[in-house]
Amino acid sequence: MILTVTLNTALDVTYRVPRLLPHASHRVTTVTERPGGKGLNVARVLAALGHKVTATGFAGGPVGSVVRTMLAASPGVVDALLPCEGVSRRTLAVVDEASGDTTQFNEPGPHITPAEWSLFLTHYQELVAQVRAVALCGSLPPGVPVGAYAVLVRVARAAGVPVLLDTSGEALRRGIAARPEIIKPNAAELAELTGSRDPLPATRDARRRGAHAVVTSLGPGGLLAATAEGTWQAAPPRPLSGNPTGAGDSAVAGLLSALTEGLDWPSRLTRAVALSAATVLAPVAGEFDPRTYEEVRGSVKVTPA
């Protein structure tokens, strides 16, 4: 069993419009809704790969109820979300069909009380005792301590369970000091953490700050990984045009699934890049076509960096 933690769950709403123009009225061609927040996205991909997954975090109010109802229809994902008094957030993605670009609007999320956070910690400790790996993903909702991920990493490490941390800002800075197994920042998050915009030295610098391995998302350039076994760059076979929403979460699922299966680092990176690419190419944001994944996986290039 793999546990994913999404403290700031969301209802992801995607609008598609012929062309997105400032100061204009738009006719929406299609609307898609799905349970969201990075950890829930990771959970769905892990389940699609055949792994048993439990998803936890907070879900509150009418939006939280919709998220949980939709999550119940996700095959292979066990709902272990906790209710909260506040209302879970929505995220709105607007896809410009002419250019393929996506514009994202993210609400802050519900305020979590100290009592709710304390209850979650107890709940999390019980779940960690039953799993093989943990993914800690996404932003912190208001009220959750900024060092929350550091606490959750330490709880998992005390139980002998590896952790992948995917967050940003001060939450990442504090979380990395607790020595997670893997962190997966994007290039901007890595630059904010290290102060360097050169991905290779910045990735190595981030590893020295506490993570056993650092896997940096380079967008269309694939992934750059600094590990105890070596440093590699993995890239898709060609530039991809599509919707990148959820591609990073698919990469997290690929890395975590491969870790639990005992695969070596080049194989982990190949899976992560192929899943990410298949997600970009999918017609629905955050999903992937298994056939596209298999096609891309055979062409991913992994080279020493």
Side-chain angles (χ1 to χ4, degrees):
M1 180 76 74
I2 297 174
L3 177 65
T4 70
V5 176
T6 314
L7 296 176
N8 210 3
T9 55
L11 178 64
D12 287 347
V13 183
T14 301
Y15 288 170
R16 300 186 70 90
V17 299
R19 185 181 295 276
L20 182 62
L21 299 171
H23 316 298
S25 177
H26 296 80
R27 186 175 298 278
V28 177
T29 56
T30 60
V31 180
T32 304
E33 294 183 343
R34 64 191 182 103
K38 294 176 75 63
L40 294 189
N41 299 338
V42 171
R44 283 198 304 272
V45 176
L46 286 168
L49 293 171
H51 287 267
K52 295 180 179 180
V53 189
T54 295
T56 192
F58 293 105
V63 176
S65 296
V66 172
V67 167
R68 299 191 76 169
T69 298
M70 298 179 74
L71 188 63
S74 299
V77 180
V78 176
D79 176 1
L81 295 168
L82 289 184
C84 61
E85 291 183 7
V87 178
S88 292
R89 66 193 178 123
R90 296 160 298 177
T91 68
L92 177 62
V94 183
V95 179
D96 183 325
E97 294 177 330
S99 67
D101 292 338
T102 301
T103 301
Q104 192 86 14
F105 300 89
N106 297 324
E107 296 178 359
H111 186 276
I112 303 301
T113 67
E116 289 169 338
W117 175 240
S118 178
L119 183 63
F120 176 81
L121 284 177
T122 300
H123 179 62
Y124 174 77
Q125 288 171 337
E126 293 170 351
L127 291 172
V128 163
Q130 308 169 39
V131 302
R132 299 178 58 197
V134 175
L136 305 175
C137 303
S139 61
L140 300 178
V144 171
V146 71
Y149 281 138
V151 173
L152 300 183
V153 170
R154 292 188 185 103
V155 169
R157 282 178 52 81
V161 176
V163 177
L164 189 154
L165 176 61
D166 184 11
T167 188
S168 60
E170 189 62 22
L172 174 59
R173 190 180 307 279
R174 298 199 186 192
I176 194 174
R179 299 187 59 79
E181 189 72 21
I182 305 170
I183 65 166
K184 197 213 70 65
N186 61 33
E189 293 162 349
L190 182 70
E192 182 182 8
L193 175 68
T194 65
S196 172
R197 295 194 174 277
D198 188 334
L200 183 55
T203 297
R204 289 172 171 159
D205 178 18
R207 183 169 176 267
R208 287 191 292 270
R209 292 169 184 253
H212 292 272
V214 178
V215 180
T216 302
S217 174
L218 304 177
L223 298 174
L224 176 64
T227 78
E229 289 76 28
T231 304
W232 293 274
Q233 182 166 352
R238 63 186 185 282
L240 304 174
S241 177
N243 186 350
T245 302
D249 303 328
S250 291
V252 167
L255 292 169
L256 202 58
S257 63
L259 181 151
T260 62
E261 294 170 25
L263 301 186
D264 61 20
W265 269 105
S267 298
R268 296 181 196 182
L269 296 170
T270 296
R271 177 179 293 182
V273 168
L275 281 170
S276 181
T279 301
V280 170
L281 295 171
V284 177
E287 306 294 338
F288 76 95
D289 182 344
R291 291 173 297 181
T292 303
Y293 161 62
E294 292 295 344
E295 291 171 2
V296 175
R297 186 172 65 165
S299 302
V300 173
K301 301 175 182 177
V302 182
T303 56

